[in-house]
């Protein structure tokens, strides 16, 4: 099987005063579908999501390493979900993209929520996978956090070895700033006003972000759809790959989901 990173256009781009390592697939190919902007989990570099980027072959796909993660330069000062959403919007400006579908996995779901709330006109649809509303989160098992850095398991058996060999571990500061960004953040008060189609994805047996968090999000977001992966843990995007990719495609391609704001 080919390495999905070989089809990516990867470069360091400056956006919002930050240098970020950005990867995109099929961005310059004609398409009548909106690009996907993906926000990764904590400490995870963009190689992890390459298999998903390749699988969604009918649309452009964009992601980037957070400051101090992967090959993005280390941040000098801490950041917040609000400032990182602003940075993501500036990146879209640099790429010449006015509107996207967004997806956030785990920690990245926080940035996805913030972008959708802060820059609603730039977001069409939202996918929140294995994530929380912040302060209202039901905590997971501390021991389970140690598994989040297992790149081969997250990428899947086929691509895992090749991808893991290319991953640059996060810097201590980069990882710490990701943790700090979550301090005091919550979307709970604003989510009832999120006038976007939203798909919530969750693993039934997730011990990092327990399933209860998906139900909290579902209760807060008007008319959100939810997909639960039976026996799935936090890495359901890999362990239930075909089901996850089908759910993503179905949601993104479904007509007439948008509601008037």
């Amino acid at each position: 099987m080919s390495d999905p990173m070989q089809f990516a256009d990867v470069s360091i781009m400056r956006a919002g005063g930050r240098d970020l390592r950005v990867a995109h697939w099929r961005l310059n190919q004609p398409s009548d579908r909106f690009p996907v902007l993906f926000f990764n989990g904590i400490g995870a570099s963009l190689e992890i999501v390459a298999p998903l980027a390749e699988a969604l072959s009918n649309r452009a796909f964009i992601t980037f390493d957070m400051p101090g993660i992967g090959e993005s330069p280390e941040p000098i000062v801490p950041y917040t979900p609000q400032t990182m959403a602003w940075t993501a919007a500036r990146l879209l400006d640099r790429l010449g993209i006015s509107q996207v579908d967004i997806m956030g996995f785990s920690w990245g779901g926080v940035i996805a929520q913030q972008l959708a709330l802060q820059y609603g006109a730039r977001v069409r649809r939202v996918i929140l996978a294995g994530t929380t509303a912040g302060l209202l989160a039901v905590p997971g098992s501390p021991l389970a956090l140690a598994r989040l850095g297992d790149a081969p398991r997250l990428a899947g058996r086929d691509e895992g070895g090749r991808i893991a060999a290319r991953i640059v571990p996060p810097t201590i500061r980069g990882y710490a700033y990701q943790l700090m960004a979550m301090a005091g953040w919550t979307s709970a008060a604003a989510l009832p006003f999120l006038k976007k189609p939203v798909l919530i994805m969750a693993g039934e047996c997730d011990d990092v972000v327990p399933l209860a968090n998906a139900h909290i999000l579902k209760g807060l977001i008007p008319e959100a759809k939810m997909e639960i992966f039976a026996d799935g843990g936090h890495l359901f995007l890999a362990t239930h790959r075909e089901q996850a990719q089908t759910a993503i495609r179905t949601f993104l391609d479904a007509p007439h989901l948008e509601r008037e704001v």
Side-chain angles (χ1 to χ4, degrees):
M1 183 175 294
S2 62
D3 179 358
M5 284 301 299
Q6 72 177 306
F7 303 109
D9 188 325
V10 183
S11 63
I12 298 294
M13 298 185 65
R14 190 154 184 86
R18 300 180 185 274
D19 291 324
L20 302 170
R21 179 180 178 237
V22 179
H24 56 80
W25 287 254
R26 300 171 298 276
L27 190 56
N28 298 319
Q29 296 180 14
S31 176
D32 59 354
R33 292 174 169 85
F34 286 81
V36 171
L37 176 61
F38 183 92
F39 298 101
N40 226 331
I42 191 166
S45 65
L46 56 83
E47 284 85 359
I48 294 295
V49 76
L52 177 61
E54 273 300 291
L56 299 180
S57 58
N58 63 351
R59 63 184 67 241
F61 191 101
I62 308 152
T63 189
F64 62 91
D65 287 338
M66 289 290 164
I69 306 300
E71 295 182 19
S72 282
E74 192 171 51
I76 297 174
V77 296
Y79 54 83
T80 65
Q82 290 85 350
T83 57
M84 192 49 62
W86 181 80
T87 299
R90 301 291 74 76
L91 175 62
L92 293 179
D93 291 341
R94 286 289 312 276
L95 294 171
I97 300 172
S98 59
Q99 193 175 37
V100 290
D101 294 326
I102 59 175
M103 179 174 180
F105 168 68
S106 195
W107 183 93
V110 168
I111 310 302
Q113 291 173 66
Q114 187 63 46
L115 182 64
L117 293 166
Q118 193 169 328
Y119 295 99
R122 307 204 67 163
V123 175
R124 188 188 69 129
R125 298 181 184 181
V126 182
I127 300 176
L128 303 175
T131 193
T132 78
L135 285 179
L136 289 179
V138 176
S141 164
L143 294 177
L145 295 174
R147 298 198 297 271
L148 291 180
D150 190 341
R153 290 181 64 230
L154 185 56
R157 291 181 180 178
D158 295 332
E159 298 90 355
R162 285 189 297 275
I163 291 174
R166 299 178 60 173
I167 288 175
V168 177
T171 67
I172 293 175
R173 182 187 297 174
Y175 192 84
Y177 280 7
Q178 279 197 293
L179 290 173
M180 291 169 59
M182 286 287 293
W185 181 88
T186 182
S187 57
L191 286 179
F193 303 98
L194 180 59
K195 306 300 184 182
K196 304 288 178 185
V198 177
L199 173 64
I200 300 165
M201 304 172 71
E204 181 184 32
C205 304
D206 191 341
D207 53 1
V208 175
V209 180
L211 179 59
N213 291 288
H215 288 290
I216 292 173
L217 288 171
K218 178 72 165 60
L220 290 169
I221 303 173
E223 301 179 31
K225 301 180 182 298
M226 187 156 66
E227 179 93 7
I228 298 174
F229 296 81
D231 300 319
H234 194 57
L235 304 182
F236 61 83
L237 291 178
T239 60
H240 294 60
R241 179 173 298 187
E242 290 188 7
Q243 181 186 351
Q245 292 175 0
T246 297
I248 292 168
R249 289 193 196 96
T250 300
F251 175 72
L252 293 180
D253 291 340
H256 311 308
L257 287 180
E258 277 65 40
R259 294 172 292 152
E260 292 185 2
V261 178

